[in-house]
Amino acid sequence: MKVIIETTADGSPTFYREDIDEHYHSVKGAIAESRHVYLQSGWHKAMETAGKLRVFEVGFGTGLNAALTAQAALEKEIATEYYSVELYPLPESASALYSEALPANLKDVFEAVNSASWQQSTAINSFFNLAKMENNLITMQLPLQLDVVYFDAFAPEKQPEMWTEEIFRKIFKAMSPGGILTTYCAKGAIRRMLGEIGFITERLAGPPGGKREILRATVDIK
């Protein structure tokens, strides 16, 4: 797996994978996309009605989503248990290269989440515990009572095995009533699949300068 670092429209970095012709983050703005799709539309929304949160991320990738959430948890003083699964973790050399390109205010927390050991829970700060799992989402047992799910797999046309009814049913069953799943992918086929499984779906405006729409799916409180 070869990755090339590139600068996105908001000045933050992303990686490009040559083997599947895909970027890890939006070229329109890596940090802007992560904050809008996952934090603002997912974590912050769930925070409004919960004193602590259990988050599950599909695709640890560079660790950017985890780092931004750890930073937000500390700022807002919201206890957050964060689980992230990745079948193909990036090598340490790639993480170091990515860190060099980040804004100074993110470097420490980014390096903390990337240096955390896999297969165990690590306290990143007083409000954020991270459990990175090198595992296969298709076969693994999920943590339960999830309040927020960041679904950040590569696009359906690049990684179709990650966008199946079987996987989304598995996630649905692991979520708490009122739980929120967010993803950058707003394709009609994905939205309809989530609705058939039992999610209440809604299209939201995408990040500034980025995708026109994103998708949020909620588990009914009943």
Side-chain angles (χ1 to χ4, degrees), residues 173-195:
K173 291 177 182 178
M175 294 177 70
S176 301
I180 296 169
L181 180 150
T182 57
T183 182
Y184 64 88
C185 180
K187 290 180 179 292
I190 301 301
R191 181 176 59 84
R192 288 189 293 273
M193 181 197 304
L194 293 176

Side-chain angles (χ1 to χ4, degrees), residues 67 99 102-115 124:
S99 178
L102 283 171
N105 67 332
L106 270 177
K107 288 182 186 293
D108 287 348
V109 67
F110 178 83
E111 290 168 4
V113 301
N114 274 279
S115 63
I124 302 301

Side-chain angles (χ1 to χ4, degrees), residues 18-182:
E18 289 185 323
D19 59 326
I20 59 173
D21 185 27
E22 182 76 322
H23 290 87
Y24 275 72
H25 306 286
S26 171
V27 296
K28 301 295 185 180
I31 289 177
E33 177 193 51
S34 181
R35 283 184 170 145
H36 181 86
V37 178
Y38 302 109
L39 274 80
Q40 293 176 17
S41 302
W43 189 87
H44 280 278
K45 181 68 174 177
M47 184 192 74
E48 295 173 2
T49 56
K52 58 182 179 179
L53 296 172
R54 288 167 68 85
V55 179
F56 181 67
E57 178 186 33
V58 176
F60 180 77
T62 63
L64 181 61
N65 292 337
L68 291 172
T69 307
Q71 190 179 63
L74 183 61
E75 290 173 355
K76 299 294 185 181
E77 298 187 352
I78 297 293
T80 301
E81 292 286 337
Y82 194 102
Y83 304 87
S84 186
V85 61
E86 177 63 61
L87 186 57
Y88 302 109
L90 288 166
E92 291 182 10
S93 57
S95 296
L97 182 65
Y98 193 90
S99 178
E100 290 176 5
L102 283 171
N105 67 332
L106 270 177
K107 288 182 186 293
D108 287 348
V109 67
F110 178 83
E111 290 168 4
V113 301
N114 274 279
S115 63
S117 297
W118 292 84
Q119 315 304 99
Q120 68 182 52
S121 181
T122 302
I124 302 301
N125 59 50
S126 54
F127 288 92
F128 187 89
N129 286 332
L130 171 65
K132 297 192 301 188
M133 298 170 284
E134 185 177 350
N135 212 327
N136 189 333
L137 176 64
I138 297 170
T139 57
M140 70 180 286
Q141 182 175 346
L142 301 187
L144 301 177
Q145 298 301 308
L146 301 172
D147 302 299
V148 182
V149 174
Y150 297 168
F151 202 89
D152 200 16
F154 288 124
E157 58 270 23
K158 304 292 184 178
Q159 206 172 27
E161 71 277 10
M162 296 296 291
W163 299 83
T164 65
E165 182 177 340
E166 178 184 5
I167 282 180
F168 284 112
R169 283 194 183 278
K170 183 177 182 178
I171 292 172
F172 181 81
K173 291 177 182 178
M175 294 177 70
S176 301
I180 296 169
L181 180 150
T182 57

